[in-house]
Amino acid sequence: GENVEQHPSTLSVQEGDSAVIKCTYSDSASNYFPWYKQELGKGPQLIIDIRSNVGEKKDQRIAVTLNKTAKHFSLHITETQPEDSAVYFCAVRMIGNEKLTFGTGTRLTIIP
Amino acid sequence: GAGVSQTPSNKVTEKGKYVELRCDPISGHTALYWYRQSLGQGPEFLIYFQGTGAADDSGLPNDRFFAVRPEGSVSTLKIQRTERGDSAVYLCASSPGTSGPRQFFGPGTRLTVL
């Protein structure tokens, strides 16, 4: 089955600086890569996603890059704000399979 | 409602008891998913419905777990003879199905088995 590794497990960033979280996956048949933000006591919230036919996607302060050859993708958050503090999860979906396989999460703390 | 809703938000039960967890998906979403999230971990897939049928139940850990979606909308996850290891947050997600892969999650039900 698919294996997803996520790094780092914790990340502290000064407010206004950038944060980068990276995930690697094992199955080259994977074709969909979403990122979720989870605040304490809440369900995961989809913040950005990318498909395998695209190398980069940006939405305001958030961007995702995908390297299919190396089988890794990254979340980039610029101009971080205190409300960006949360746990972030990457996920992967394989072709022909509807389930998402999640990484282990990154706890991001923005230091005011 | 605008999003996925789940009830109850919290459920405390005793070992050996039966529990039912309910999920109301986003209106019009044909696909529905159940995941389980243990403390400090990412969600783990349990089962996926397309319409009324369970299209993939490969994530159900054993035969104590069962889920239904009789009318293609609301779904119920049923756990028999609960064990302490079943304690987790049970998350439901829905998606438009064939018109898009995005899955939208509900707030979850926190199940505690004493």
Side-chain angles (χ1 to χ4, degrees):
Chain A
E2 179 68 270
N3 183 45
V4 181
E5 294 189 359
Q6 183 171 345
H7 300 281
S9 57
T10 61
L11 179 61
S12 293
V13 173
Q14 205 72 35
E15 181 179 354
D17 288 350
S18 296
V20 181
I21 304 170
K22 181 176 175 178
C23 284
T24 59
Y25 59 97
S26 59
D27 199 315
S28 56
S30 299
N31 67 343
Y32 174 66
F33 309 90
W35 284 91
Y36 287 85
K37 174 184 180 182
Q38 189 172 29
E39 296 175 292
L40 194 63
K42 297 185 178 181
Q45 174 195 0
L46 179 67
I47 56 172
I48 195 166
D49 55 3
I50 194 168
R51 301 196 194 211
S52 58
N53 58 348
V54 177
E56 182 174 355
K57 182 178 179 181
K58 188 174 181 181
D59 182 4
Q60 299 183 345
R61 297 187 297 109
I62 296 174
V64 55
T65 58
L66 171 65
N67 184 325
K68 286 179 57 181
T69 304
K71 290 188 283 189
H72 67 71
F73 58 111
S74 299
L75 176 70
H76 305 255
I77 306 174
T78 59
E79 301 171 21
T80 52
Q81 301 168 2
E83 52 264 37
D84 294 330
S85 294
V87 179
Y88 290 80
F89 291 97
C90 64
V92 173
R93 191 190 76 165
M94 291 168 51
I95 293 174
N97 198 323
E98 294 298 320
K99 71 178 184 182
L100 295 176
T101 301
F102 283 81
T104 49
T106 297
R107 180 172 298 279
L108 175 63
T109 302
I110 306 303
I111 305 166
Chain B
V4 178
S5 62
Q6 293 186 246
T7 55
S9 56
N10 279 283
K11 176 71 176 178
V12 181
T13 191
E14 293 179 341
K15 180 176 178 295
K17 299 290 188 182
Y18 166 83
V19 296
E20 289 190 351
L21 311 179
R22 176 188 167 109
C23 172
D24 277 271
I26 293 171
S27 178
H29 279 192
T30 59
L32 184 146
Y33 311 78
W34 284 98
Y35 292 82
R36 179 167 72 173
Q37 186 174 27
S38 300
L39 194 63
Q41 301 295 317
E44 293 181 314
F45 171 79
L46 295 176
I47 186 170
Y48 152 62
F49 288 89
Q50 180 58 47
T52 60
D56 182 357
D57 65 356
S58 62
L60 294 178
N62 50 60
D63 61 6
R64 296 187 297 105
F65 289 75
F66 189 71
V68 296
R69 195 186 185 200
E71 297 178 358
S73 178
V74 170
S75 176
T76 304
L77 178 65
K78 308 180 180 192
I79 310 174
Q80 298 178 322
R81 305 183 303 280
T82 52
E83 299 177 356
R84 292 194 180 89
D86 298 336
S87 296
V89 175
Y90 289 81
L91 294 163
C92 176
S94 69
S95 81
T98 53
S99 60
R102 291 175 170 170
Q103 296 185 22
F104 300 91
F105 282 81
T109 293
R110 180 175 297 280
L111 175 66
T112 302
V113 181
L114 301 177

